[in-house]
């Protein structure tokens, strides 16, 4: 696997052995980050935001986000071998302050808050200095079997509720998940609100907001590429 844009463009990263992860292909990754860049007003890049990468595997999504301008990423991966490979990828890229890895069940573990931005780092909004730092972009990439049919696994339903209510998730956050392309369109992901989706080959990318008002504030990304 490789990073396709940004600071580490073209750098190869390791994938865990076996079938513990499903590496995302370059085509799908390009579509995903083109949409994110357009929605976050940074075409081809990301603003300096904090990212939460759940079920992170090799860290391909979080590493791509860091390469494109994210200021911090918390990676959560339960499998020990996958977490070890992720740490090696961080070491190879010399990423220290900008990332942290937790080996734990992403559905149930606690998420520490992201570090506060350094002076001059991060986006400034009115009243921001009075708020604790929050995650503004979340990747939720669980095993496909947990998102089969019209109703997700109970662990995922609990995780969806946590994402919708956690004070560590920004009200304007974008949450991205993917699952196998299904005739039904895939599971109900409420209480999160779907704002966009893309079918790419045998997979579906879904873009979610934490509530209806947040969904209305996100600009349209236009038609499918």
């Amino acid at each position: 696997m490789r990073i396709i844009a940004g600071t580490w463009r073209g750098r190869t990263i390791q994938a865990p052995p076996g079938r513990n992860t499903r590496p995302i292909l370059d085509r799908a990754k390009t579509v995903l980050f083109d949409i994110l860049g357009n929605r976050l007003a940074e075409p081809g890049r990301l603003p300096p935001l904090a990212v939460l990468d759940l079920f992170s595997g090799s860290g391909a999504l979080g590493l791509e986000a860091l390469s494109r301008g994210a200021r911090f990423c918390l990676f959560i991966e339960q499998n020990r071998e996958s977490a070890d490979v992720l740490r090696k990828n961080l070491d190879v890229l010399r990423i220290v302050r900008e990332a942290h890895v937790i080996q734990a069940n992403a559905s149930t573990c606690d998420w520490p808050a992201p570090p506060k931005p350094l002076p001059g780092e991060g986006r400034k909004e009115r009243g921001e200095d009075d708020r604790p730092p929050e995650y503004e972009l979340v990747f939720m990439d669980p095993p496909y079997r947990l998102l089969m049919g019209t109703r997700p696994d109970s662990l995922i339903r609990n995780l969806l509720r946590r994402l919708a209510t956690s004070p560590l998730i920004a009200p304007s956050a974008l949450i991205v998940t993917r699952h196998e392309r299904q005739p039904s369109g895939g599971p109900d992901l409420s209480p999160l609100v779907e704002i966009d989706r893309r079918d790419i080959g045998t997979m579906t990318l879904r873009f979610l907001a934490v509530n209806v008002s947040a969904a209305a504030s996100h600009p349209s990304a236009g038609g499918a590429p």
Side-chain angles (χ1 to χ4, degrees):
M1 294 189 300
R2 67 189 181 100
I3 296 174
I4 58 177
T7 302
W8 301 297
R9 178 180 180 181
R11 294 288 296 273
T12 299
I13 58 175
Q14 294 184 48
R19 298 185 178 182
N20 290 322
T21 61
R22 302 179 320 279
I24 185 168
L25 299 178
D26 283 0
R27 177 192 172 205
K29 199 188 303 183
T30 298
V31 171
L32 166 58
F33 281 92
D34 282 351
I35 293 172
L36 291 176
N38 288 333
R39 285 193 173 277
L40 297 170
E42 295 279 352
R45 288 186 51 79
L46 291 178
L49 43 68
V51 179
L52 178 60
D53 190 350
L54 303 171
F55 309 94
S56 54
S58 66
L61 295 179
L63 290 171
E64 187 75 34
L66 289 170
S67 182
R68 291 173 181 249
R71 68 174 183 85
F72 176 79
C73 184
L74 175 64
F75 297 92
I76 301 181
E77 170 56 45
Q78 183 174 16
N79 181 269
R80 182 181 58 79
E81 287 186 344
S82 297
D84 287 345
V85 168
L86 173 51
R87 292 187 180 99
K88 290 177 182 177
N89 284 330
L90 294 175
D91 288 343
V92 168
L93 296 172
R94 298 182 180 178
I95 298 172
V96 179
R97 185 184 61 83
E98 300 90 348
H100 182 60
V101 179
I102 295 177
Q103 184 188 332
N105 187 324
S107 298
T108 57
C109 77
D110 292 331
W111 313 318
K116 291 184 177 181
L118 296 175
E121 181 184 51
R123 295 184 293 177
K124 285 289 182 182
E125 298 176 1
R126 180 173 295 181
E128 186 180 80
D129 289 337
D130 299 326
R131 299 201 312 263
E134 302 162 315
Y135 295 102
E136 298 173 81
L137 176 61
V138 180
F139 297 120
M140 185 184 73
D141 193 17
Y144 277 178
R145 61 181 173 78
L146 300 182
L147 289 171
M148 290 298 295
T150 59
R151 184 174 172 82
D153 181 88
S154 60
L155 286 174
I156 298 300
R157 295 198 302 272
N158 179 62
L159 177 57
L160 294 169
R161 289 190 290 269
R162 292 178 64 202
L163 289 170
T165 58
S166 172
L168 296 179
I169 305 299
S172 60
L174 272 172
I175 299 100
V176 182
T177 191
R178 64 171 173 147
H179 56 69
E180 189 172 19
R181 191 170 180 176
Q182 302 173 36
S184 66
D188 175 12
L189 299 179
S190 59
L192 299 181
V193 179
E194 183 174 302
I195 56 178
D196 199 359
R197 69 164 56 205
R198 294 289 190 277
D199 291 326
I200 307 170
T202 61
M203 62 172 279
T204 297
L205 285 171
R206 296 173 70 176
F207 300 81
L208 311 160
V210 297
N211 54 48
V212 173
S213 60
S217 71
H218 284 288
S220 171

